[in-house]
Amino acid sequence: MDLPFPIPASLAPGFVLSPMTHADTDAAAVVYYESFKLDPANTYWWPKDLAPLLTWCSGRMRKKLDDPHVRNFKITDTATGEMIAYARWDIPKGSSRFGAWVAGESDKVDVTALVESDNQAAAADQATTQQPLIADDKAAPAMGDYPEGGNHEIAEMFFSALNESQRKWTTDDMLGLSLLCVSPKYHRKGIATALLAPMLDIADAEGRKTYLEATVAGRPLYEKLGFREVDVLKFDFDALTKERNGLYKNFVMIREPVAKN
């Protein structure tokens, strides 16, 4: 399957960038979990058991792959054969420059081993300090379409705020980064930039703005790529939970197209 852009020169040898298909959704759910498991805006609404979260996430990704207005790209480590990162984009209406719609079925990845090992390592996870690059998925599911056993009230509050931000700041002719996940052990290897820069180049060529929401940890990367803050989404988790975690922020950012010489 062809990509709508050349492989970025910044992508190190040993990694492969390609379109996602239905065969990748279970593996993508694992990457999602690993990327965001210590991020408060996500974990407060997650169920205590991992299996329902992975099932929900995988099913949701299949639905996104079936949306012709969405493009999904992944990066695989050839040494292990594992998916290590992926990005989901909402493409501008009426544009044909961002790649053909791709969706296909194949064998699924078995996540049983991860479920068992993660339950055993829960205490060790709490000591980890790595943060995800981004905690956003602006196309929120309808109320009730959340993982079994999770806190649906907090999930609804969080996703509704992201949806409202999208309605406020985006237009049909903009490119949108809906979700970016990078496994923590592959941070600072240029993986995120390799997923972002080629699509931003296409947006530049078409003179289009790009929208996203960023965490505190992800914001510096996006600023390097030309994004600027236009709004801040604030979530008071002290009021929503029994834990004292203060005010959580997502930064709404927009990138203006860069003129090419």
Side-chain angles (χ1 to χ4, degrees):
M1 291 172 288
D2 294 331
L3 291 166
F5 45 74
I7 299 296
S10 61
L11 186 63
F15 299 110
V16 175
L17 198 163
S18 61
M20 280 181 59
T21 71
H22 283 167
D24 300 312
T25 57
D26 285 350
V30 173
V31 175
Y32 174 88
Y33 167 74
E34 293 292 343
S35 298
F36 298 129
K37 63 183 177 182
L38 296 179
D39 183 59
N42 284 284
T43 57
Y44 282 134
W45 60 269
W46 284 5
K48 292 182 179 180
D49 295 331
L50 180 57
L53 175 68
L54 295 181
T55 297
W56 172 83
C57 188
S58 181
R60 180 159 170 74
M61 290 175 183
R62 290 188 189 94
K63 292 179 182 178
K64 287 298 181 181
L65 282 166
D66 291 335
D67 185 343
H69 302 294
V70 174
R71 299 293 180 269
N72 301 268
F73 303 103
K74 65 177 180 178
I75 290 181
T76 304
D77 183 344
T78 57
T80 64
E82 294 178 299
M83 181 194 301
I84 62 168
Y86 64 92
R88 183 164 73 222
W89 299 87
D90 298 319
I91 63 170
K93 290 186 177 179
S95 174
S96 60
R97 295 282 298 276
F98 293 92
W101 174 47
V102 176
E105 294 284 359
S106 187
D107 294 336
K108 299 174 182 177
V109 175
D110 184 3
V111 299
T112 303
L114 178 84
V115 174
E116 295 175 349
S117 64
D118 196 83
N119 288 338
Q120 296 171 356
D125 287 342
Q126 297 304 314
T128 306
T129 58
Q130 290 175 300
Q131 294 295 319
L133 292 171
I134 189 168
D136 70 307
D137 186 357
K138 61 190 177 184
M143 185 61 175
D145 185 18
Y146 298 109
E148 182 180 352
N151 189 318
H152 293 191
E153 181 180 359
I154 293 180
E156 180 72 6
M157 176 275 299
F158 179 64
F159 283 118
S160 293
L162 298 180
N163 259 350
E164 182 58 33
S165 177
Q166 180 186 11
R167 285 189 287 268
K168 178 180 179 181
W169 290 105
T170 66
T171 57
D172 288 346
D173 61 349
M174 292 174 67
L175 175 66
L177 178 64
S178 178
L179 187 63
L180 173 66
C181 297
V182 180
S183 294
K185 64 182 179 180
Y186 290 95
H187 283 187
R188 298 178 179 84
K189 296 182 182 295
I191 299 299
T193 300
L195 282 167
L196 298 174
M199 291 289 275
L200 296 178
D201 286 343
I202 297 175
D204 289 342
E206 291 208 329
R208 298 183 186 275
K209 297 180 181 181
T210 307
Y211 170 95
L212 58 77
E213 301 110 13
T215 61
V216 172
R219 181 178 177 179
L221 169 64
Y222 300 119
E223 289 179 334
K224 288 180 181 179
L225 293 172
F227 287 90
R228 296 295 177 261
E229 176 190 323
V230 297
D231 203 354
V232 181
L233 305 180
K234 300 177 181 179
F235 305 95
D236 185 0
F237 285 110
D238 283 354
L240 292 166
T241 72
K242 296 180 180 179
E243 302 175 33
R244 298 188 60 80
N245 287 281
L247 196 66
Y248 183 89
K249 297 179 181 180
N250 272 133
F251 300 96
V252 179
M253 307 185 80
I254 290 179
R255 180 182 183 272
E256 298 287 337
V258 177
K260 305 296 183 181
N261 295 329

